[in-house]
């Protein structure tokens, strides 16, 4: 019998990496290793020590360490990748492709050597292209590599809907599918509050405004922060995915997943509802779509495919 705690490697100890370390520790998901480049090793070590020192207050026993040495993440069960550069005001996610592709290639090469059995969740933007690059360079099974975007985009939509109706956010179910960019597809046909269709509760103009705000929600935060992009909610979203994997929950969560014919799309990563359990992405779920939603999903797929075809691995 083994009673070792799961090992969670966070590649990138920046804004999202630091919050993920705290959340994973507070949820007692396992031991956590924060890894960054040698120039930022002090940041990784400093954040790890800072969180360790909160352990007596919060009352958990997970170990949190910081490093720049991949030997320390060897054998990780889950790897979450934020290594890269975030947006600044005026930039689109796609503007990051060149610089972040170089970083993802480097990270993927190291993960291939040190964490061959991990479930890998990519957060680095532009998300759909970076998760594709991660899988191609590592050669890991497609169901063991995915991207975080849908949980966050859906949470934003759910929050805006709950706020408009002044109801509990946990009562609102709604999903955003497609690419993690302006072409993302918020699904209103299945959105509901405790089972009551959202379209019967909010008029069309207000729903249109909420959809538009959801599509631009990342940019809204970049515009306010000015020095980077959202980090609390992206961290919470990725940790939720890691939790479903580590606890074999089989929760339905939207993720950037490898499509193999689902939604009549094939051979690239794209935001779709998935079941995440001990097998990784155990299933891509096909939900009924209205004609307009199906059309929007295919337009979004076209935008992602163009970006992916342009990257040099
Ligand atoms: P930031 O706080 O800058 O952290 C990134 C960290 O990556 C820094 O500490 C860097 O030193 C580190 N890094 C750079 N190169 C490497 C490398 N080769 N190996 C290891 N570490 C490296 O950014 P952040 O945490 O705010 O955001 C990280 C990424 O997530 C960016 O690309 C964002 O655009 C992206 N992001 C995605 C979403 C999604 O919903 C998909 C949301 C928010 C941010």
């Amino acid at each position: 019998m083994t009673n070792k705690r799961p090992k969670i490697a966070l590649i990138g100890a920046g804004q999202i990496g630091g919050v993920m370390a705290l959340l994973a520790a507070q949820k007692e998901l396992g031991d956590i290793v924060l890894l960054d480049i040698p120039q930022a090793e002090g940041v990784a070590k400093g954040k790890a020590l800072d969180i360790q020192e909160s352990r007596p207050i919060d009352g958990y026993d997970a170990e949190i360490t910081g490093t720049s040495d991949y030997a320390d993440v060897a054998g990780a069960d889950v790897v979450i990748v934020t290594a890269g550069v975030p947006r600044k005001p005026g930039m689109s996610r796609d503007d990051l492709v060149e610089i972040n592709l170089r970083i993802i290639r480097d990270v993927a090469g190291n993960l291939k050597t040190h964490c061959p059995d991990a479930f890998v969740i990519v957060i680095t933007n532009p998300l759909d292209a970076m998760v594709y690059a991660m899988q191609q360079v590592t050669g890991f099974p497609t169901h063991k590599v995915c991207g975080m975007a849908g949980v966050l985009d859906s949470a934003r939509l759910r929050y805006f809907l709950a706020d408009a109706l002044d109801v509990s956010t946990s009562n609102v179910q709604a999903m955003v599918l497609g690419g993690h960019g302006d072409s993302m597809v918020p699904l209103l046909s299945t959105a509901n509050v405790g089972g009551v269709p959202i379209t019967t509760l909010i008029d069309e103009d207000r729903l249109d405004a909420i959809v538009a705000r959801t599509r631009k929600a990342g940019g809204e935060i970049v515009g306010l922060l000015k020095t980077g992009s959202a980090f609390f909610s992206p961290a919470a979203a990725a940790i939720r995915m890691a939790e479903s994997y580590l606890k074999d929950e089989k929760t339905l969560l939207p993720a950037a997943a490898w499509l193999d014919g689902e939604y009549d799309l094939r051979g690239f990563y794209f935001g779709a509802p998935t079941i995440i359990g001990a097998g990784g992405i155990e299933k891509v779920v096909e939900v009924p779509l209205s004609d307009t939603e199906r059309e929007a999903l295919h337009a979004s797929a076209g935008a992602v495919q163009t970006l992916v075809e342009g990257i040099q691995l």
Side-chain angles (χ1 to χ4, degrees):
M1 189 186 132
T2 125
N3 58 359
K4 274 175 61 186
R5 284 188 285 257
K7 184 168 177 177
I8 301 160
L10 305 175
I11 312 298
Q15 296 283 64
I16 302 176
V19 178
M20 287 196 299
L22 179 65
L23 293 177
Q26 287 179 332
K27 282 176 173 259
E28 299 191 67
L29 293 185
D31 292 331
I32 298 143
V33 185
L34 266 168
L35 182 145
D36 212 298
I37 49 175
Q39 303 89 299
E41 191 184 29
V43 174
K45 285 185 183 296
K47 288 188 179 180
L49 180 60
D50 194 8
I51 298 171
Q52 293 271 59
E53 290 169 359
S54 74
R55 277 174 41 184
I57 303 164
D58 279 335
Y60 51 80
D61 289 314
E63 290 290 337
I64 305 104
T65 48
T67 186
S68 63
D69 183 351
Y70 272 91
D72 294 330
V73 299
D77 298 284
V78 172
V79 177
I80 311 181
V81 180
T82 58
V85 173
R87 286 195 277 170
K88 299 224 164 55
M91 288 175 91
S92 84
R93 295 176 179 92
D94 294 359
D95 292 336
L96 301 170
V97 71
E98 215 171 293
I99 179 162
N100 283 349
L101 180 60
R102 253 181 282 136
I103 293 171
I104 290 296
R105 267 204 232 104
D106 166 54
V107 173
N110 280 299
L111 295 183
K112 189 175 176 172
T113 309
H114 297 279
C115 310
D117 299 318
F119 179 52
V120 181
I121 303 171
V122 177
I123 306 185
T124 307
N125 272 320
L127 191 271
D128 306 276
M130 293 304 106
V131 64
Y132 177 87
M134 174 63 70
Q135 191 281 325
Q136 294 288 303
V137 176
T138 55
F140 290 173
T142 50
H143 63 277
K144 294 295 285 291
V145 180
C146 68
M148 186 295 292
V151 176
L152 170 64
D153 295 328
S154 304
R156 287 171 168 161
L157 175 61
R158 290 171 64 195
Y159 165 65
F160 297 146
L161 292 170
D163 192 43
L165 289 168
D166 195 21
V167 298
S168 162
T169 48
S170 61
N171 219 205
V172 177
Q173 292 301 324
M175 255 190 307
V176 177
L177 308 185
H180 182 59
D182 295 347
S183 69
M184 68 179 71
V185 187
L187 298 188
L188 293 182
S189 62
T190 47
N192 68 82
V193 182
V196 181
I198 204 80
T199 45
T200 65
L201 299 171
I202 304 182
D203 66 54
E204 208 177 319
D205 286 351
R206 255 177 118 195
L207 279 177
D208 286 349
I210 288 172
V211 164
R213 188 174 179 198
T214 303
R215 288 207 174 100
K216 298 276 180 200
E220 185 178 351
I221 294 196
V222 171
L224 291 165
L225 295 178
K226 301 213 164 50
T227 52
S229 50
F231 52 98
F232 290 115
S233 53
I239 291 301
R240 184 69 197 88
M241 293 167 72
E243 185 176 26
S244 189
Y245 172 76
L246 288 167
K247 295 182 178 170
D248 191 22
E249 282 179 13
K250 303 186 193 298
T251 301
L252 190 149
L253 295 166
W258 182 262
L259 294 191
D260 192 20
E262 297 88 355
Y263 298 94
D264 297 322
L265 300 168
R266 178 172 276 110
F268 62 104
Y269 278 89
F270 194 56
T274 67
I275 300 295
I276 300 183
I281 300 291
E282 296 188 350
K283 192 176 164 53
V284 174
V285 179
E286 293 202 64
V287 293
L289 300 175
S290 70
D291 289 347
T292 323
E293 287 167 348
R294 181 164 287 273
E295 223 169 88
L297 201 69
H298 279 252
S300 178
V304 169
Q305 278 170 309
T306 305
L307 188 66
V308 168
E309 279 161 15
I311 66 175
Q312 303 283 326
L313 293 168

